[in-house]
Amino acid sequence: MCLILGPHGAGKTLLLRRLHTYLNIKDQDPPGVSPTTIPTVGTILVNVMVTKKHEVVIREMGGAMSPIWPKYTKGCSTLMFMVDMSNRLQVAAGCILLLTTLTDRSLVTDKILILLNKIDLPTCMSRFEFDSLFRLDDVLQHTKLKVSVLEVSAYTGQGLGEVLDWLSHNTTGDAS
């Protein structure tokens, strides 16, 4: 199982919806059409086919659930953390949540994927600004965790293939 965390409105639900239908063309929304989503209250489980023979269960935690995420790590082999790159205030709050997450002793995995979402928007923070604000080089240098970073757009689908590839290489087939 994979756990996905991030501040409210980061795009976690849309990302999971897109990943859920990524390999099945007939279930995908037409190009340029984004499905409507509502904020997740509590948690939801989504089965995602990462390859034709490998399915992963992803547990999304609604943004309001972030303070109690450690209670949901049992059985998680990976963690994804999503940040809305177009919302500078949220990026700052996301930085604190991410650092809290990376240093929490209850974290049962060492494989973390940071997803920089909404890179398609004109108000998007640059990768340099993000790395500087998060002090990402320092964080990566001082952690024993295997942290990867991907830029994505859950809206346009940019980067979803790379997310599936990361899941494929970092999770085991844990769904039936």
Side-chain angles (χ1 to χ4, degrees), residues 24 37 44 50 132 144 157:
N24 192 355
T37 60
I44 60 170
V50 294
S132 297
K144 295 177 182 174

Side-chain angles (χ1 to χ4, degrees), residues 102-103 105 107 109-112 138-148:
L102 293 176
T103 58
R105 294 182 191 267
L107 192 62
T109 182
D110 66 346
K111 298 173 208 141
I112 312 286
D138 289 340
V139 170
L140 296 178
Q141 196 172 43
H142 293 95
T143 185
K144 295 177 182 174
L145 305 173
K146 297 171 188 154
V147 179
S148 303

Side-chain angles (χ1 to χ4, degrees), residues 14 17-18 29-30 32-37 154-155:
L14 182 57
R17 187 177 231 172
R18 295 282 196 203
D29 295 303
V33 175
S34 178
T36 56
T37 60
Y155 181 77

Side-chain angles (χ1 to χ4, degrees), residues 122-170:
T123 57
C124 174
M125 177 182 285
S126 74
R127 177 65 189 267
F128 176 77
E129 289 174 298
F130 172 81
D131 289 354
S132 297
L133 179 64
F134 268 62
R135 298 190 59 190
L136 196 59
D137 289 339
D138 289 340
V139 170
L140 296 178
Q141 196 172 43
H142 293 95
T143 185
K144 295 177 182 174
L145 305 173
K146 297 171 188 154
V147 179
S148 303
V149 181
L150 289 175
E151 296 180 40
V152 300
S153 170
Y155 181 77
T156 65
Q158 181 181 347
L160 295 187
E162 289 86 357
V163 174
L164 287 176
D165 188 52
W166 184 87
L167 285 167
S168 172
H169 288 92
N170 291 286

